[in-house]
Amino acid sequence: MWKWLHPYAKAEKSYALSGKLMPWFLVIAIPTFLVGIVWGLAFAPADYQQGDSFRIIYIHVPAAMMAMGAYSTMAVAAFIGLVWQIRLAEMTVAATAPIGAVYTFIALFTGAAWGKPMWGAWWVWDARLTSELILLFVYLGIIALYNAFSDKILAGRAASILTLVGVINLPIIHFSVVWWNTLHQGATITKFDQPSMAMEMLIPLLIMIVSFASFLGFMILYRFRNEILQRESHRPWVITLVKQSLKTNKRG
């Protein structure tokens, strides 16, 4: 396995592999999104307490899960980059942070929109909401720290260290509804033995989670490839790639 993975520590190999994987993620993301959003918004039954306002769950929950998933990806990459000194892992941290920040913002915005009719306020200092807001600030801090250094090697290491420090917030977000008395509802989709949702509501939600996860993968690979090109712009293979791209555009 390690022999198979070893060549992909090279930027050129990882760039090519990412390009091959990107279309597959997009092929999964688009149809699952269309099926999930139409099913959830148009065909899923209304909730007996919340009525149709519950339907924001089909955006809010996948976004919140991917916000944490993106950070988990960054944490693993940061650990690999710092321990084994693999530059591509640090590039992964830099590429993923803005995407994770967007997912977190979507989760917070949709959560506020959902909370208004349920709680009577756009925002309450609930444990889950507050820890999710902290996650957004951590994302923004990582982005700012990475861009504060002109030396991208030093920037990648600094961003990786901050990423690992911020990992402590993930279990706080996940278990906040258990540890504290909170307005936020508890686990819903993780209780497969006794789910809190009817299957007619749960299935489109699971489809939307697959869609959001696939699009997250696509965007990480897209930004990862751009990060490689920026960091490796002086390499012969990048120069050759740019020249070939320019020739193709002229022919087109």
Side-chain angles (χ1 to χ4, degrees):
M1 177 180 176
W2 292 110
K3 289 183 179 180
W4 179 82
L5 290 174
H6 182 71
Y8 294 100
K10 296 181 180 179
E12 185 176 1
K13 289 284 187 179
S14 290
Y15 182 88
L17 177 62
S18 299
K20 294 177 181 178
L21 293 177
M22 281 173 59
W24 292 102
F25 280 103
L26 205 57
V27 163
I28 297 172
I30 293 176
T32 51
F33 179 82
L34 294 175
V35 171
I37 200 69
V38 172
W39 189 344
L41 297 184
F43 296 102
D47 185 76
Y48 76 101
Q49 287 181 319
Q50 302 181 35
D52 287 326
S53 62
F54 97 97
R55 297 183 192 279
I56 202 168
I57 195 175
Y58 296 110
I59 299 295
H60 173 71
V61 170
M65 292 181 67
M66 292 312 110
M68 295 180 64
Y71 200 94
S72 299
T73 301
M74 290 170 56
V76 173
F79 181 80
I80 293 173
L82 291 173
V83 173
W84 287 284
Q85 300 294 307
I86 298 177
R87 292 187 306 113
L88 292 179
E90 295 175 351
M91 292 183 197
T92 303
V93 174
T96 307
I99 307 167
V102 171
Y103 272 108
T104 307
F105 176 79
I106 294 172
L108 287 168
F109 180 80
T110 53
W114 194 1
K116 177 61 176 175
M118 295 300 103
W119 303 333
W122 289 100
W123 182 266
V124 292
W125 291 102
D126 177 86
R128 173 64 64 84
L129 298 181
T130 303
S131 54
E132 190 79 14
L133 180 62
I134 292 173
L135 179 63
L136 177 61
F137 289 152
V138 174
Y139 270 125
L140 296 178
I142 292 169
I143 296 169
L145 183 63
Y146 182 77
N147 291 299
F149 293 89
S150 57
D151 184 347
K152 291 307 177 184
I153 296 177
L154 183 59
R157 291 176 183 172
S160 295
I161 292 171
L162 181 56
T163 299
L164 292 178
V165 172
V167 166
I168 193 173
N169 192 43
L170 294 186
I172 294 175
I173 295 174
H174 182 73
F175 293 108
S176 58
V177 294
V178 177
W179 291 343
W180 292 286
N181 184 19
T182 173
L183 291 173
H184 199 285
Q185 69 184 58
T188 300
I189 63 173
T190 55
K191 299 190 299 180
F192 288 109
D193 56 334
Q194 190 178 0
S196 301
M197 296 179 66
M199 292 304 294
E200 298 87 343
M201 300 176 179
L202 181 59
I203 292 175
L205 178 57
L206 295 176
I207 293 173
M208 288 297 290
I209 291 171
V210 171
S211 175
F212 272 58
S214 300
F215 189 70
L216 173 65
F218 170 80
M219 288 303 302
I220 289 175
L221 292 176
Y222 179 82
R223 285 189 49 81
F224 176 67
R225 282 163 60 87
N226 287 342
E227 192 70 26
I228 289 177
L229 291 179
Q230 292 176 9
R231 295 274 294 271
E232 303 288 308
S233 58
H234 61 288
R235 301 290 184 183
W237 72 269
V238 176
I239 296 173
T240 302
L241 185 67
V242 172
K243 289 181 179 178
Q244 291 176 348
S245 178
L246 290 174
K247 289 181 180 179
T248 302
N249 291 336
K250 287 182 180 179
R251 291 173 184 174

